[in-house]
Amino acid sequence: MNLKAYEGQYQGEPAVWLKCESYEAAILPGVGGNLIAFRDVEQGYRFLREPQEGNMEEFKQNPGVHGIPVLFPPNRYEDGKFPWNGQMYQFPINEEATNNHLHGFLHTIPWEVEDYGVTGRESYVTVRVTVNSQHPVYSMLPHEFTFKLTYTLSMDGLSQRVFIRNEGDQPMPCLLAFHTAVNAPFHADSSPEDCVIRLSIGERWEMSERMLPTGQFQSLTPEEEQLKGDGVNPYFSGLDNHYTAAPQQGRNTMELTDRRIGKTLVYDAGTSYKQWMIWNNGACKEFFCPEPQINLVNAPNVELPPEQIGLYALNPGDIWEETSRLYLK
């Protein structure tokens, strides 16, 4: 079996490459630990949106809409304020139009390569961030923790394992999402009209003009009913919607089918992610982002039961883990 894991370059940026037969993947430790590429080179499939050649500097200025960016804490927080455990944290306002903080910090900072290599049937890489009182993130999120990502490439596709351990002496919020950017279509000879997606959504949260949940639900449109049923084109409308997750047959998934080639890309996000965002950049007909989230947008500021909105505390010494997978069927 052709297996490799090695340090190299991705458009001039240091990368770790994984290979398994016709599959290849690349991660950028210096740009948020972003898994920037997942491809089948023999079939000509590019599953994730990648920066265009020559646009790496533009990508690094806004690394949240390519590959698999880590959002921690994810999405928007009202006025950048974050009440937690009797304290009020202040995050920078980085979305001026809504006066909110957006997407946290880990997708823009360097990560450390902990290990990479091959086993008998797969290649793998582990990257990590260790936050302590000297780390720049600590001034905004005053907790000591280690966050690891392990990506494994095999004939069963691309596996992602998340590991978060609270290494401080106070409970910390465990709020996480991935802004996964999926090409639709993922084959150059296919068209957007060839694409159909299904997503294991439940109810749609009502959002304010500031893109913050009101705590109420809205009725699903006929197309959204198709989204969680037999499937619908991912560009049926401009989407920037927030949903509860509703696993089907024990699985929390997005499925993207290319009807021209008869192949389906499955994104099995794991049932620990209790919410979904779906964003298609104004129905751009190039890519969309099915974003699995632990928590409701703005969860610390929402007066609903913590279990309902995924507002979880990770106590000192505790570990949170989940595994997701992208594969073709």
Side-chain angles (χ1 to χ4, degrees), residues 147-151 159-164 174 176 178 247 250 252 268-274 292-294 319-325:
F147 192 128
K148 295 184 185 183
L149 282 172
T150 299
Y151 285 100
S159 171
Q160 178 204 65
R161 177 184 171 223
V162 179
F163 172 101
I164 305 170
C174 189
L176 170 67
F178 290 93
N252 192 30
D268 190 336
T271 55
S272 294
Y273 298 98
K274 304 298 186 182
Q293 294 193 185
I294 294 176
I319 293 171
W320 187 90
E321 291 185 280
E322 182 59 285
T323 300
S324 303
R325 184 177 294 275

Side-chain angles (χ1 to χ4, degrees), residues 13 26 78 83 118 168 194 198 200 214 223 229 233 271 288 317 320:
E13 185 71 22
E78 185 175 0
V118 299
D194 293 320
R198 298 179 66 248
S200 56
T214 66
E223 292 86 357
N233 184 270
T271 55
F288 70 100
W320 187 90

Side-chain angles (χ1 to χ4, degrees), residues 42 51 61 112 154 159 186 214 284 288 317:
E42 290 184 4
Q61 292 299 313
E112 176 186 356
S154 70
S159 171
F186 51 80
T214 66
C284 66
F288 70 100

Side-chain angles (χ1 to χ4, degrees), residues 84-85 87 142-143 166 168-172 314-316:
W84 180 257
N85 200 27
Q87 302 181 63
H143 297 276
N166 182 357
D169 58 6
Q170 296 294 322
M172 66 174 282
L314 198 60
N315 290 317

Side-chain angles (χ1 to χ4, degrees), residues 2 15 30 52 90 243 289 326:
N2 179 24
Q52 294 182 351
Q90 181 66 59
Y243 304 93
C289 296
L326 283 160

Side-chain angles (χ1 to χ4, degrees), residues 25-52:
I27 192 170
L28 303 177
V31 190
N34 191 322
L35 195 289
I36 197 62
F38 174 37
R39 311 165 179 164
D40 184 322
V41 294
E42 290 184 4
Q43 299 298 323
Y45 303 154
R46 292 197 173 204
F47 302 113
L48 300 177
R49 184 184 187 224
E50 302 180 35
Q52 294 182 351

Side-chain angles (χ1 to χ4, degrees), residues 76-94:
R76 294 174 175 88
Y77 296 88
E78 185 175 0
D79 301 325
K81 293 181 179 179
F82 194 108
W84 180 257
N85 200 27
Q87 302 181 63
M88 183 67 74
Y89 302 161
Q90 181 66 59
F91 291 9
I93 302 298
N94 57 7

